[in-house]
Amino acid sequence: MTTPDTGPVGEDADAILSERDRLRQTVADVEHTKTRATWFGVIIGAIILVLLLVFIVQNLESQRIELIFWEVNLPLGISLLIAAIAGALVVALIGGLRMLQLRRALRRAVE
């Protein structure tokens, strides 16, 4: 009993397998890109904005807020949003100053 000749078929299979491996590597290289991370951030940001909008709409009753010599009447949701933004800005400022401090220390250590 003779075995069938698989010469050209075997070569085609090898070419197909190598092409599949090349395509898999290309997909793996593209999976983790800055564009993908940015798109993921945009989606998460949109979800957070929708939740924030729901929070503000549910908390529309006005509150009187006094700070030293300022007095304002704002909805509770807006007041808390302003407080959260102010807190985030303080954290960003402190973090930025710390990064600047570390960058200067690194430059001095390298020189």
Side-chain angles (χ1 to χ4, degrees):
M1 196 171 229
T2 62
T3 59
D5 184 19
T6 59
V9 175
E11 291 173 6
D12 288 343
D14 289 340
I16 290 171
L17 289 176
S18 66
E19 178 66 14
R20 183 189 68 182
D21 291 341
R22 188 187 65 78
L23 288 173
R24 282 186 177 169
Q25 183 60 41
T26 301
V27 169
D29 291 342
V30 174
E31 280 185 353
H32 302 290
T33 62
K34 290 180 184 180
T35 305
R36 181 178 181 204
T38 302
W39 182 246
F40 185 73
V42 166
I43 291 172
I44 296 297
I47 291 169
I48 290 171
L49 284 176
V50 168
L51 293 174
L52 186 61
L53 179 64
V54 169
F55 173 77
I56 289 172
V57 168
Q58 289 180 341
N59 293 288
L60 285 178
E61 59 189 55
S62 186
Q63 297 287 321
R64 189 179 94 199
I65 300 171
E66 297 178 24
L67 177 64
I68 305 173
F69 55 87
W70 291 331
E71 181 180 327
V72 293
N73 286 319
L74 289 173
L76 180 61
I78 301 292
S79 302
L80 291 173
L81 174 63
I82 291 170
I85 290 171
L89 290 175
V90 168
V91 168
L93 177 67
I94 292 170
L97 291 174
R98 179 65 179 152
M99 285 188 283
L100 181 64
Q101 182 184 34
L102 290 174
R103 186 178 299 142
R104 286 182 179 172
L106 185 61
R107 281 187 192 156
R108 288 182 189 146
V110 171
E111 291 176 353

